[in-house]
Amino acid sequence: MAKIDVPLKDLLVVENLKKYFPVRSGLLQRISAWVQAVDNVSFTVREGETFGLVGESGCGKTTIGRTILRLTPPTAGAAFFDGEDVFAKRGAELKRLRRNMQIVFQDPYSSLDPRMPVGEIIAEGLQIHGIGAGRERAEIVTQMLATVGLNPYHARRYPHEFSGGQRQRIGIARALALRPKFIVCDEPVSALDVSIQSQVLNLLKQLQAEFGLTYLFIAHNLSVVEHISDRIGVMYLGKLVEVTSRETLYRNPLHPYTQALLSAIPLPNPRLKRKRIVLTDDVPSPLNPPPGCRFHTRCPIAVDICSQQEPAFELKGPDHWVACHLVPGSVSMAQ
């Protein structure tokens, strides 16, 4: 019997998300400008997949993750998790929703309270949500430590007694203790040695298969994203410029910015050569982004319309969304 592919359910739907940060000046600290960290971003994360979010530092990746989790309030837009409006939740409803939405932070040291032993750090979420008590919580902590490759006696130690890779495993155990459906991984391996990075990435993939997790994986290392992601969104200066599957993005990138990023990845074989696309100038300021396409000031193929009109985020191929005036063709939603 032929295998039937069942479409994956959209676990997270983000619609027209905006996050502006005020810039205050003067004696009265009045708002003089706005930093457009995230500007009108829409995407979906399907249940059981890893959605990679990549781009240069400061493009708004982390802000998206923190805004979705309500760690910072949105300026505009909507986010729906498992059909529920995240931004409309308050009090007990928000607390219940957060049990299914956790985060692994970038810095594996500053994200852990140095005054608390590891066992209490992992059990803190259990206590807040009233899960278990006494010995039962201790058993959950021991189980979580074993799941991420640590020993039971580590529960009595403090964060400063661990290496960077071990601290990140503790952060993963803390996020996993509540058995969430969805985890934001905010550059979880960028502060680790290369050999440790691969261990943590393989652990995340193993946990995803074991617990049925869905990840929003934020990173700027395209090789890391290729290893772990199913679909990838590329961001530039607060906007998504391309979203497609991992295979399509690395085989056939359509946006000039994506092409430039991929051309910078080193090839393991020194005999192979890749045409390098070097971007000139610096990234414009999100305080005053350029008109039209935000990438046009650095784009090697930009034409007049790029500086005059913002490109629509359109479907250019099967499950391949691009925001560029110069990418030909458009596929209807029916296809």
Side-chain angles (χ1 to χ4, degrees):
M1 181 181 293
K3 180 182 177 182
I4 300 175
D5 292 328
V6 180
L8 295 174
K9 166 188 171 185
D10 289 338
L11 184 66
L12 176 70
V13 179
V14 177
E15 297 178 349
N16 306 315
L17 181 64
K18 293 184 179 182
K19 178 57 187 177
Y20 294 176
F21 293 97
V23 177
R24 300 181 184 273
S25 58
L27 290 174
L28 300 178
Q29 289 293 289
R30 290 195 174 100
I31 297 175
S32 58
W34 293 90
V35 176
Q36 300 179 27
V38 178
D39 191 17
N40 204 31
V41 167
S42 301
F43 63 93
T44 62
V45 181
R46 298 163 186 164
E47 190 170 27
E49 78 167 355
T50 298
F51 185 88
L53 203 56
V54 300
E56 293 170 286
S57 296
C59 70
K61 308 183 300 294
T62 294
T63 302
I64 285 179
R66 294 178 68 89
T67 304
I68 289 169
L69 297 178
R70 293 281 298 276
L71 296 178
T72 184
T75 301
F80 298 92
F81 177 78
D82 209 8
E84 298 188 70
D85 188 345
V86 177
F87 298 158
K89 299 297 182 183
R90 298 290 184 276
E93 287 189 340
L94 179 59
K95 180 179 178 181
R96 175 186 56 80
L97 192 63
R98 277 181 165 161
R99 180 174 171 179
N100 279 317
M101 304 173 71
Q102 293 294 303
I103 184 170
V104 177
F105 293 97
Q106 177 178 359
D107 190 335
Y109 187 70
S110 64
S111 62
L112 303 177
D113 190 334
R115 299 165 298 179
M116 295 173 64
V118 164
E120 291 184 20
I121 290 173
I122 296 173
E124 190 174 16
L126 302 173
Q127 181 181 357
I128 291 171
H129 289 272
I131 301 172
R135 180 174 296 179
E136 185 179 354
R137 283 182 191 163
E139 290 175 355
I140 294 174
V141 169
T142 300
Q143 180 185 357
M144 289 299 102
L145 286 170
T147 300
V148 298
L150 297 175
N151 297 310
Y153 63 84
H154 286 142
R156 300 186 294 273
R157 294 185 176 180
Y158 288 82
H160 72 271
E161 300 179 73
F162 294 89
S163 67
Q166 288 175 319
R167 287 197 289 263
Q168 197 59 289
R169 289 172 185 266
I170 294 166
I172 294 170
R174 176 178 59 184
L176 203 61
L178 293 172
R179 297 297 177 92
K181 294 181 180 179
F182 174 71
I183 297 179
V184 174
C185 300
D186 183 14
E187 302 198 34
V189 298
S190 63
L192 307 178
D193 294 337
V194 175
S195 59
I196 306 302
Q197 284 185 16
S198 61
Q199 295 177 18
V200 173
L201 289 173
N202 290 334
L203 174 63
L204 288 170
K205 293 184 74 171
Q206 174 190 328
L207 294 175
Q208 183 174 38
E210 184 177 347
F211 294 97
L213 297 169
T214 302
Y215 293 142
L216 174 62
F217 192 91
I218 298 167
H220 57 258
N221 186 325
L222 285 160
S223 298
V224 168
V225 172
E226 181 183 16
H227 176 71
I228 197 169
S229 300
D230 299 298
R231 288 189 306 133
I232 300 172
V234 181
M235 285 195 70
Y236 182 80
L237 203 61
K239 286 185 174 290
L240 275 174
V241 297
E242 188 163 2
V243 173
T244 188
S245 67
R246 172 188 59 196
E247 294 81 5
T248 301
L249 189 82
Y250 285 83
R251 185 184 71 249
N252 183 34
L254 297 181
H255 197 281
Y257 178 62
T258 309
Q259 293 170 358
L261 289 180
L262 293 177
S263 76
I265 300 176
L267 292 172
N269 188 343
R271 295 180 180 178
L272 297 177
K273 301 295 181 183
R274 173 182 283 156
K275 183 180 178 182
R276 183 79 166 86
I277 302 174
V278 180
L279 300 179
T280 59
D281 301 324
D282 295 326
V283 181
S285 170
L287 274 169
N288 187 26
C293 174
R294 295 190 175 184
F295 184 58
H296 84 264
T297 59
R298 305 173 72 199
C299 182
I301 60 172
V303 294
D304 289 343
I305 192 175
C306 300
S307 61
Q308 300 165 3
Q309 182 179 329
E310 182 177 339
F313 198 55
E314 296 179 324
L315 198 59
K316 302 292 187 178
D319 200 23
H320 196 162
W321 297 81
V322 186
C324 181
H325 293 296
L326 304 178
V327 175
S330 181
V331 179
S332 68
M333 292 298 292
Q335 291 179 289

